[in-house]
Amino acid sequence: MDERKERHQDMEMRVACCTLGCKVNQYESQTVLDRFAEHEYRIVDFSDFADVYIINTCTVTQIAARKSRQMIHRARKHNPNAVIAAMGCYIHKDEGQILDGIVDVAVGNRDKMNILSLVEDCQRQRGLRVPGTPEASENRRGPRRGPGREQTRAFLKVQDGCRQYCSYCIIPYVRGPLASKEPYQAVAEARDFAEAGYKEIVLTGIHLSSYGKDLEKPSSLAELIGLLGQIEGLHRIRLGSLEPRMITQSFLDSVGGTRTLCPHFHLSLQSGSAATLSQMNRKYTPDEYGKAVDLLRATYADAAVTTDVIVGFPGETEAEFLASADFVRTIGFAHVHVFKYSRMEGTKAAERPDQIPEEEKQRRSEEMLRIADEGSRHYLTKYIGAVKEVLVEEYHVDGKYWEGYTDNYIKVRIPAEDGYDWRNQLLHIKLESMDVRQHDYYMWGVTV
């Protein structure tokens, strides 16, 4: 028996995970790690030495796909003898064709929850010790560990799959059909999070607006929010990305009584040009989007509206880009994620001959980011002097401050006070100043 195998016989097994991409991936990584923890694995940071490395990949852009490959190679460098397990959209898209000899276990999205057994099969084939399984672990649900150093918010995946087929997006092909979690299952999992100490949950899904439509007894996102709002100890419910068409007066009337619902709405835009939206196969117009925002702001005085915008979509003319930029400026978003169009093989947009040159995409990106920063500054200005409740998440040693978020997702930094540990506490903070730089924004505040 070689030295490496002897070490496995005598020491606990360690697992590390790197998660790329969306909040759904974050939820799935969290679930996978909980299963490893139940089987007596010690969870360590991805930069540490581990016996098993899991990379939850993304392929929504070429940059994300490249980052997925890089992290797989990085894991192998950390420990050449480790079991390297890659899962998710990048693997699903190119399953069986990538990284031969680098990855020991590769599974697409449909088999993510089988990764523990596949890793243990690999360990057995190598003659390594496989940690034991606690009794009745099959019947456990939700997290065994309370809020840790990295977060006090928990991600609750309630939906998977998409059937929108936007012309630039590969996700419907790698995530499969709609699949919603039954309301009682989602409520049970959320209750477990609350009992474990989490004060906020984020509802996630590949196409969250479609929640419940595929169930044998159809449900809806509004119905689920109402049920979650009744959970004792759960202080905040935050929504993932929504389609603009989801925001109707009926929807807002339904969720308006849920006091724990955060007034933060991420409405996917992608372009403010009607012509470009049509080419993207987005199923709304800028006018319809604007009306949805008006409804939100009429219902929630503190509503933070955030969004995603793509620049340089194939065939996007200068006039269409300017129309998109003007629309973003007019709406006045709290925050905008700006993406340069990334050509993704297998999508309709990738086949178009009128691709925009990279240098032009970069110019448009910089201009849109400038407009986005202006919007963030304008949004934050009205909160100077206001007192807001902040859920404190983490301590930054380098700057000696705590950081957390308001219900409307303003990042707040609070100078540390000796002897006070504010992690996972809800504090009333007076917001005194703001800072917007490098396309990020936050405010400084003090306890009151």
Side-chain angles (χ1 to χ4, degrees):
M1 181 177 292
D2 63 31
E3 181 181 350
R4 178 67 182 173
K5 291 182 180 178
E6 287 182 15
R7 180 186 172 282
H8 278 286
Q9 296 286 349
D10 298 333
M11 300 179 66
E12 62 185 347
M13 299 290 280
R14 292 174 289 187
V15 59
C17 182
C18 173
T19 305
L20 302 165
C22 63
K23 289 182 174 64
V24 172
N25 267 7
Q26 293 180 49
Y27 167 85
E28 290 170 342
S29 291
Q30 175 180 279
T31 302
V32 165
L33 286 177
D34 282 334
R35 292 188 178 185
F36 273 86
E38 289 174 350
H39 284 242
E40 299 181 357
Y41 288 79
R42 179 186 172 194
I43 298 171
V44 300
D45 190 82
F46 193 77
S47 61
D48 293 341
F49 187 92
D51 303 287
V52 178
Y53 290 95
I54 301 169
I55 301 89
N56 198 353
T57 65
C58 177
T59 190
V60 70
T61 66
Q62 292 290 1
I63 293 174
R66 184 168 66 248
K67 184 72 171 178
S68 297
R69 293 191 296 271
Q70 290 172 344
M71 299 312 291
I72 291 168
H73 284 286
R74 184 175 299 177
R76 181 60 74 196
K77 289 181 180 178
H78 282 333
N79 179 6
N81 297 308
V83 174
I84 308 298
M87 62 185 188
C89 291
Y90 178 62
I91 304 302
H92 194 105
K93 180 174 180 289
D94 296 310
E95 197 166 4
Q97 302 176 35
I98 63 168
L99 298 165
D100 186 36
I102 302 294
V103 172
D104 301 298
V105 176
V107 295
N109 288 308
R110 299 184 185 95
D111 297 317
K112 278 183 176 180
M113 295 305 114
N114 295 327
I115 198 163
L116 171 63
S117 61
L118 294 172
V119 165
E120 292 188 336
D121 285 345
C122 183
Q123 290 171 324
R124 292 187 184 96
Q125 290 170 11
R126 294 184 181 184
L128 303 176
R129 180 182 65 82
V130 175
T133 303
E135 213 174 301
S137 65
E138 293 280 334
N139 296 321
R140 275 198 196 93
R141 65 172 189 257
R144 300 176 69 234
R145 294 165 286 138
R149 177 181 58 84
E150 295 181 354
Q151 65 181 36
T152 59
R153 284 175 284 137
F155 296 100
L156 174 55
K157 176 186 168 185
V158 298
Q159 185 276 335
D160 206 339
C162 180
R163 58 186 181 193
Q164 297 301 106
Y165 293 98
C166 300
S167 63
Y168 55 84
C169 186
I170 196 69
I171 296 303
Y173 304 97
V174 298
R175 278 284 178 175
L178 299 181
S180 299
K181 187 169 289 183
E182 291 284 354
Y184 75 89
Q185 293 176 316
V187 169
E189 194 168 345
R191 186 175 290 114
D192 282 338
F193 279 128
E195 291 174 356
Y198 290 88
K199 290 183 169 66
E200 178 180 318
I201 60 168
V202 183
L203 296 187
T204 67
I206 296 301
H207 193 251
L208 189 60
S209 298
S210 294
Y211 173 80
K213 295 179 180 179
D214 58 298
L215 295 174
E216 185 175 350
K217 181 183 177 181
S219 183
S220 69
L221 184 61
E223 179 183 344
L224 179 61
I225 291 168
L227 294 172
L228 295 173
Q230 300 173 32
I231 296 176
E232 186 177 351
L234 187 58
H235 294 263
R236 291 181 179 179
I237 301 167
R238 195 178 299 279
L239 300 179
S241 181
L242 298 177
E243 286 289 315
R245 294 175 299 165
M246 184 77 184
I247 307 302
T248 63
Q249 191 60 60
S250 175
F251 173 77
L252 294 175
D253 289 343
S254 296
V255 302
T258 305
R259 61 174 183 80
T260 51
L261 180 63
C262 292
H264 168 216
F265 300 90
H266 188 88
L267 299 187
S268 182
L269 174 62
Q270 308 308 354
S271 177
S273 160
T276 304
L277 285 174
S278 177
Q279 292 297 308
M280 289 177 167
N281 197 32
R282 302 292 289 178
K283 298 172 178 63
Y284 53 85
T285 66
D287 183 60
E288 291 169 332
Y289 189 101
K291 289 178 180 177
V293 173
D294 289 343
L295 281 175
L296 284 173
R297 289 173 173 166
T299 305
Y300 296 93
D302 280 352
V305 182
T306 59
T307 199
D308 306 307
V309 172
I310 295 173
V311 298
F313 183 78
E316 182 187 57
T317 66
E318 180 66 11
E320 289 163 356
F321 166 71
L322 292 175
S324 185
D326 286 343
F327 185 79
V328 170
R329 187 183 290 110
T330 299
I331 292 293
F333 293 99
H335 187 66
V336 181
H337 297 281
V338 179
F339 298 92
K340 293 182 289 185
Y341 168 75
S342 179
R343 194 172 188 171
M344 184 55 61
E345 184 180 346
T347 63
K348 290 185 177 180
E351 300 170 1
R352 293 181 55 157
D354 49 356
Q355 302 290 322
I356 305 297
E358 183 61 33
E359 57 271 22
E360 178 59 21
K361 287 193 286 188
Q362 181 63 32
R363 182 190 71 81
R364 295 180 185 183
S365 174
E366 291 172 359
E367 175 62 13
M368 190 67 80
L369 285 166
R370 184 186 64 78
I371 294 169
D373 285 351
E374 289 176 358
S376 295
R377 289 190 188 93
H378 179 75
Y379 179 74
L380 294 182
T381 296
K382 63 183 179 181
Y383 290 101
I384 294 176
V387 175
K388 294 285 289 181
E389 189 176 67
V390 175
L391 177 57
V392 181
E393 296 193 3
E394 60 181 327
Y395 177 67
H396 290 259
V397 177
D398 52 348
K400 294 184 178 180
Y401 62 85
W402 291 91
E403 189 171 88
Y405 289 85
T406 64
D407 58 354
N408 57 340
Y409 212 59
I410 296 174
K411 185 192 298 181
V412 178
R413 293 179 175 178
I414 313 158
E417 296 181 18
D418 291 342
Y420 288 89
D421 186 345
W422 288 328
R423 184 178 290 103
N424 202 34
Q425 292 190 39
L426 287 161
L427 301 178
H428 285 93
I429 303 296
K430 183 178 181 181
L431 307 179
E432 296 190 323
S433 62
M434 66 175 180
D435 201 343
V436 179
R437 61 177 69 184
Q438 295 182 333
H439 319 308
D440 189 17
Y441 67 93
Y442 57 89
M443 299 191 77
W444 285 97
V446 294
T447 56
V448 295

